[in-house]
Amino acid sequence: MSTLFRDARLADGRVRDVRTDSGTIVEVADSADADAVDRVVDAAERLLLPGAIDAHVHFREPGHSQKETWTTGSRSAAAGGVTTVVDQPNTTPPTTTGDAFDEKASLAAESYVDYGINGGVTPDWEPDSLFERPLFALGEVFLADSTGDMGIDADLFADAVERAADAGVVVTVHAEDADLFDETARERDAGGVGRDADADVWSQYRRAAAEEAAVERAVEVGADTGAPIHIAHTSTPEGVDAAVAGGATCEATPHHLFLSREDATELGTFGRMNPPLRSEERRAGLWQRLVDGDVDIVATDHAPHTVDEKEADLWNAPSGVPGVETMLPLLLERARQGEISYERVRDVTATNAAEIFDLPQKGRIAEGYDADLVLVDPENATEIRGSELHSKCGWTPFEGMTGVFPDLTLVRGDVVYDGAEIVGAQAGVNVRK
């Protein structure tokens, strides 16, 4: 449908009419003609933003549909104003071969929002078959063994970055050096930690120094090969500073921006993620770097698990929290409170990601761009409740916090969320096709 948003307030404060047709923004003007438009939306100076791009999600298919599916994950994205997601490769099987990519792509056809698929690196990856596909970027690559199924050693990391440079794709790096983890934390907690115990031990174990060192190594390899390096989920000011110094881009997650080790005991195993929560001082420093422009994008690392899975003891519970539906609402609430500008929210959730990952049709409200649009009332703040969100896992680490949720979400001109329900077709497309 063609749509006219009458009197919409853009992130920079201008009030404009925005007209879409055939999935594209065709006019941004002081006053647009409503003739022959299928639908007119009276924005009444509500805020109109480009749809958010979440460059780091784990929608869990194939292999772990009890946690999330492309259908449920994309519903959650749409209800939170996210119109494009990038899925990471640590599924079962991992997206390290062409066949695995094709299997995931067939499942992603059930998405309500547009998507990219990252390929990953393991000792048995198949770069030739993987790079033949419409790859979004290289993927979430670890710097050392023992960090999970996607873990690789330094030599393989360097080889992967060199191949990525030749292929002209961005390398997204999970920067933690497992050699610097504090094994004495395990020894101090030999009996295992339950949800009601001192869950802060996870932050003691995966200490901040492991991130900074890994970022420095990653940007050094990137400089040697000429590959663009993007640091995933930087959780410390030191990690951000190392990325900036090395010429890499970086992202921060909502859980590292809004939660700290002071929340660890209350969250218990539901607050276990990689990298872990950091001190309140480091959280505040990370937030300031976001406001100041050193953090390029906010991405959620949306990694849902079932309640039963998370209720294991700390050393056996899986890492990760959901977040795709609450990222933009949490940031908009901080903008409502005057802690960050709406322009900065627009940039870190949409514009910058489109530039980093070369999506020339996404991330802006301008003529010729995809009509990925989110209409919100900045004053309509509500309490976040996990039971009311759309992720299959049914919980959130941000329970009880305040967010500003969309009144409308459009993907390429079609409404997918109307402020109350998911509507429309599962018509998301691979942005690399």
Side-chain angles (χ1 to χ4, degrees):
M1 297 179 67
S2 58
T3 301
L4 173 63
F5 287 90
R6 181 76 76 191
D7 293 331
R9 185 173 297 278
L10 305 184
D12 60 10
R14 294 177 298 152
V15 177
R16 294 289 186 270
D17 287 357
V18 177
R19 184 165 61 89
T20 77
D21 193 12
S22 302
T24 303
I25 299 169
V26 295
E27 187 176 8
V28 179
D30 291 334
S31 180
D33 191 348
D35 291 347
V37 173
D38 297 319
R39 171 181 51 205
V40 177
V41 176
D42 182 10
E45 298 194 11
R46 286 175 287 173
L47 184 65
L48 189 66
L49 294 168
I53 300 168
D54 189 345
H56 195 142
V57 304
H58 300 267
F59 278 177
R60 301 304 192 195
E61 283 190 312
H64 305 282
S65 57
Q66 80 278 9
K67 306 172 189 282
E68 195 77 282
T69 67
W70 277 93
T71 296
T72 60
S74 63
R75 283 176 179 167
S76 194
V82 173
T83 56
T84 302
V85 298
V86 183
D87 192 71
Q88 301 302 321
N90 59 333
T91 44
T92 303
T95 316
T96 58
T97 69
D99 288 344
F101 182 100
D102 294 342
E103 180 182 1
K104 180 174 287 189
S106 68
L107 295 165
E110 300 298 314
S111 178
Y112 283 90
V113 302
D114 288 350
Y115 57 88
I117 297 176
N118 266 350
V121 180
T122 62
D124 58 351
W125 76 314
E126 297 177 5
D128 293 337
S129 69
L130 198 59
F131 285 133
E132 288 175 355
R133 271 56 179 182
L135 196 65
F136 189 89
L138 181 60
E140 188 177 31
V141 181
F142 293 90
L143 282 179
D145 292 330
S146 81
T147 55
D149 292 340
M150 300 298 293
I152 61 173
D153 61 29
D155 290 338
L156 181 53
F157 174 76
D159 178 61
V161 172
E162 185 174 357
R163 288 175 178 268
D166 293 340
V169 300
V170 179
V171 182
T172 300
V173 181
H174 180 139
E176 284 186 288
D177 188 341
D179 292 336
L180 297 179
F181 290 171
D182 183 4
E183 293 296 336
T184 64
R186 288 183 180 270
E187 297 169 7
R188 293 194 301 271
D189 182 56
V193 175
R195 183 181 178 194
D196 298 326
D198 182 16
D200 186 56
V201 71
W202 191 250
S203 297
Q204 299 169 29
Y205 170 56
R206 298 178 81 115
R207 57 199 188 99
E211 176 176 277
E212 182 181 4
V215 173
E216 291 173 347
R217 287 171 55 195
V219 297
E220 182 179 355
V221 175
D224 290 342
T225 61
I229 299 293
H230 176 74
I231 306 298
H233 43 51
T234 42
S235 63
T236 65
E238 297 90 342
V240 173
D241 293 346
V244 172
T249 58
C250 67
E251 69 192 42
T253 72
H255 46 271
H256 291 123
L257 290 166
F258 300 118
L259 300 171
S260 73
R261 290 173 67 171
E262 294 182 6
D263 301 292
T265 298
E266 180 179 354
L267 288 169
T269 53
F270 287 79
R272 174 181 150 162
M273 73 282 291
N274 302 330
L277 295 176
R278 303 302 186 188
S279 69
E280 176 58 25
E281 181 181 3
R282 281 196 165 102
R283 185 211 65 78
L286 187 68
W287 173 260
Q288 193 58 51
R289 281 159 176 75
L290 174 75
V291 173
D292 292 344
D294 290 332
V295 175
D296 297 281
I297 64 174
V298 178
T300 65
D301 193 10
H302 174 81
H305 300 280
T306 69
V307 170
D308 287 346
E309 289 168 334
K310 289 296 273 187
E311 285 184 333
D313 71 77
L314 187 68
W315 299 105
N316 292 299
S319 292
V321 298
V324 70
E325 191 168 343
T326 48
M327 172 182 70
L328 185 59
L330 285 166
L331 288 167
L332 289 173
E333 169 61 12
R334 293 302 178 98
R336 186 177 75 89
Q337 296 178 13
E339 297 179 27
I340 189 172
S341 71
Y342 287 111
E343 288 179 283
R344 187 76 183 123
V345 171
R346 173 202 63 198
D347 291 347
V348 300
T349 60
T351 307
N352 292 351
E355 293 177 355
I356 291 169
F357 295 106
D358 190 23
L359 298 176
Q361 296 300 114
K362 304 286 188 185
R364 296 180 183 271
I365 297 180
E367 293 180 15
Y369 282 75
D370 286 351
D372 298 341
L373 298 168
V374 181
L375 183 68
V376 299
D377 179 356
E379 298 307 313
N380 187 22
T382 59
E383 195 171 84
I384 296 172
R385 295 296 180 194
S387 61
E388 298 174 359
L389 301 178
H390 294 75
S391 173
K392 191 172 184 178
C393 71
W395 62 276
T396 173
F398 308 109
E399 188 79 20
M401 291 188 178
T402 303
V404 178
F405 287 84
D407 292 339
L408 279 177
T409 303
L410 284 71
V411 175
R412 286 175 285 104
D414 289 331
V415 175
V416 292
Y417 180 66
D418 66 5
E421 296 180 331
I422 301 296
V423 297
Q426 291 164 268
V429 300
N430 187 333
V431 292
R432 282 293 182 247
K433 287 187 178 180

